[in-house]
Amino acid sequence: MKEINIADLNINPCDLIGNKWMLVSAGKENSYNTMTASWGEIGALWGHGLYGRPTFTIFIRPSRYTDKFINDNECYSLCFFSEEYKKDLSYLGSHSGKDEDKVSKTSLHVEFIDNVPVFKEASLIFVCKKIYKGKIEENGFIDKTIIENFYKDASNHIYNNSSYHNVYVGEIIKIYKR
């Protein structure tokens, strides 16, 4: 892995996040967790200069085990992989680290960069420092079909307010590319 400058990053964020997915990870060497995600935003926020302050925003349901690790740690990582790891990402997104050592059931290997968990097999890694935490709220939706499509349970009942995603804005402090 080679550390790169944000100015050298040339990606399509919608394809990278929405189609290729990512592993969101946080914690310490003795206790960490990861989850697969396909929602996020890359941009510039609360900064000045040539690129502003580079940020990566992620959305995590409070019910996800990984949310506790992101909430309790200063930094988190976002790891992207080549297509050959899609099955591993699918497994990590459908099993809880609360119930098992789910990483051991995949072909992926955790390592730590600046005390932040990342994956050796990743082709692109963002290390982010949390700078804001908020919550998506029902009364904020202008397009109510989003509630219908993303915030209903199997019985077609709208989740209670505690199921709306937490929003974490992280300043991108390092980027690594294979």
Side-chain angles (χ1 to χ4, degrees), residues 77-108:
S77 72
L78 307 162
C79 294
F80 295 88
F81 300 83
S82 64
E83 195 65 31
E84 69 185 282
Y85 296 103
K86 197 78 165 192
K87 186 176 178 183
D88 290 324
L89 272 64
S90 182
Y91 185 87
L92 293 170
S94 60
H95 292 80
S96 176
K98 187 177 2 179
D99 302 326
E100 65 178 334
D101 177 7
K102 64 183 183 175
V103 174
S104 70
K105 307 272 175 78
T106 71
S107 65
L108 301 177

Side-chain angles (χ1 to χ4, degrees), residues 17-143:
I17 299 165
N19 293 330
K20 295 196 169 108
W21 307 346
M22 62 185 157
L23 288 181
V24 178
S25 308
K28 305 288 183 227
E29 287 195 44
N30 62 345
S31 179
Y32 68 89
N33 202 56
T34 189
M35 63 173 268
T36 304
S38 62
W39 293 1
E41 298 176 330
I42 297 173
L45 186 64
W46 300 317
H48 301 289
L50 185 58
Y51 294 104
R53 185 184 231 177
T55 56
F56 206 125
T57 303
I58 56 173
F59 303 85
I60 310 292
R61 285 191 198 272
S63 60
R64 295 296 300 258
Y65 186 53
T66 304
D67 185 68
K68 172 192 178 325
F69 291 87
I70 295 168
N71 189 59
D72 293 349
N73 287 276
E74 181 180 26
C75 295
Y76 57 86
S77 72
L78 307 162
C79 294
F80 295 88
F81 300 83
S82 64
E83 195 65 31
E84 69 185 282
Y85 296 103
K86 197 78 165 192
K87 186 176 178 183
D88 290 324
L89 272 64
S90 182
Y91 185 87
L92 293 170
S94 60
H95 292 80
S96 176
K98 187 177 2 179
D99 302 326
E100 65 178 334
D101 177 7
K102 64 183 183 175
V103 174
S104 70
K105 307 272 175 78
T106 71
S107 65
L108 301 177
H109 301 89
V110 174
E111 53 188 20
F112 286 78
I113 295 177
D114 297 329
N115 297 314
V116 179
V118 299
F119 288 86
K120 182 179 174 182
E121 295 80 8
S123 55
L124 181 63
I125 298 171
F126 293 84
V127 177
C128 300
K129 180 180 178 181
K130 282 187 315 189
I131 58 174
Y132 176 83
K133 178 185 177 185
K135 185 158 189 64
I136 290 180
E137 297 183 17
E138 186 174 353
N139 63 3
F141 286 101
I142 295 165
D143 180 348

